[in-house]
């Protein structure tokens, strides 16, 4: 059986990657999202086990020591990590897995798993990015300033990714990612048994 595709999506805060990923998953039930673990406090409406697995720092650090994460990073003062078991089991059983993680995490995964597909979501403009972060209303003033300034820094990492997807409209961005997935699956190197199927 062919391994599933590991799809890694990142991009600056405010690029709209959360919305794009949600819509991608709605339209493609066969893609499995890896639910990350975090030590940050849940925001209003976030559900444990759905948006994130919320955990305290002691437990998180214990899991780091046990090697339970595929990658982890400290982002805006909180830990975030990708639980290893879920991702590896899905990929090995031929299922596609989506990781929506920050740039540090994506680069760590790229070293570990170069066969993954690395997608960077771009905002339509920097002005729009600032508006989105500001209007989200979930951030404190301090976190707002931090997120806007790191969004600028993060753009330079675009060139480490395989694909840059402009999020001018969510539907367009989703269609672009779906096309990337189709093209990646057609790569000969990913279809070792293709001749046996015809
Ligand atoms: P937020 O607090 O807004 O939900 O997420 C903050 C940042 O952490 C986002 O860039 C998000 O993609 C990233 N993130 C979420 N889960 C993970 C993870 O498991 N690993 C890493 N490295 N980053 C993550």
């Amino acid at each position: 059986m062919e391994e599933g595709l590991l799809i890694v999506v990142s991009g600056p805060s405010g690029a709209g990657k959360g919305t794009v990923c949600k819509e991608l998953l709605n339209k493609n039930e066969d893609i499995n999202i890896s639910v990350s673990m975090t030590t940050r406090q849940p925001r209003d409406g976030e559900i444990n086990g759905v948006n994130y697995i919320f955990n305290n720092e002691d437990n998180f650090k214990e899991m780091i020591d046990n090697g339970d994460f595929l990658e982890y990073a400290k982002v805006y003062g909180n830990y975030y990590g990708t639980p290893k078991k879920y991702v590896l089991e899905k990929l090995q059983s031929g299922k596609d897995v989506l990781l929506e993680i920050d740039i540090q995490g994506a680069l760590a995964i790229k070293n570990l798993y170069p066969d993954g597909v690395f997608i960077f979501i771009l905002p339509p403009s920097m002005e729009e990015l600032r508006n989105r972060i500001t209007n989200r209303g979930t951030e404190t003033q301090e976190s707002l300033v931090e997120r806007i300034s790191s969004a600028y820094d993060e753009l330079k990492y675009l060139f480490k990714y395989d694909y840059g997807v402009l999020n001018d409209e969510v539907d367009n961005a989703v269609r672009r990612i779906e096309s990337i997935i189709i093209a990646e699956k057609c790569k000969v190197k990913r279809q070792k048994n293709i001749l046996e199927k015809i």
Side-chain angles (χ1 to χ4, degrees), residues 97-128:
V97 179
L98 176 75
L99 306 183
E100 186 206 321
I101 61 176
D102 88 315
I103 293 166
Q104 309 168 63
L107 297 181
I109 299 274
K110 202 173 178 190
N111 277 331
L112 214 70
Y113 203 90
D115 274 351
V117 184
F118 296 84
I119 302 175
F120 195 93
I121 306 281
L122 291 156
S125 68
M126 291 313 280
E127 192 190 349
E128 178 60 22

Side-chain angles (χ1 to χ4, degrees), residues 68-126:
D68 290 338
F69 293 112
L70 208 52
E71 63 74 38
Y72 69 92
K74 208 167 185 182
V75 189
Y76 311 120
N78 295 301
Y79 284 100
Y80 294 81
T82 304
K84 190 188 276 179
K85 191 165 173 275
Y86 175 85
V87 175
L88 296 185
E89 278 178 5
K90 288 286 176 198
L91 291 176
Q92 279 155 15
S93 62
K95 305 272 195 309
D96 300 335
V97 179
L98 176 75
L99 306 183
E100 186 206 321
I101 61 176
D102 88 315
I103 293 166
Q104 309 168 63
L107 297 181
I109 299 274
K110 202 173 178 190
N111 277 331
L112 214 70
Y113 203 90
D115 274 351
V117 184
F118 296 84
I119 302 175
F120 195 93
I121 306 281
L122 291 156
S125 68
M126 291 313 280

Side-chain angles (χ1 to χ4, degrees), residues 178-195:
E178 287 170 342
S179 309
I180 291 167
I181 294 172
I182 293 169
E184 283 290 335
K185 289 195 173 192
C186 289
K187 280 188 170 166
V188 173
K189 70 167 187 184
R190 294 194 195 275
Q191 304 189 83
K192 299 199 177 67
N193 306 321
I194 187 170
L195 290 180

Side-chain angles (χ1 to χ4, degrees), residues 9 11 17 36-37 40 43 46 52 71-73 75-76 80-82 100-102 104-106 136 139 147:
V9 173
K17 60 183 185 297
S36 295
M37 187 171 282
R40 102 154 146 64
R43 294 182 187 133
E46 281 186 333
Y52 282 105
E71 63 74 38
Y72 69 92
V75 189
Y76 311 120
Y80 294 81
T82 304
E100 186 206 321
I101 61 176
D102 88 315
Q104 309 168 63
R136 193 148 63 182
E139 311 305 326
R147 281 178 188 241

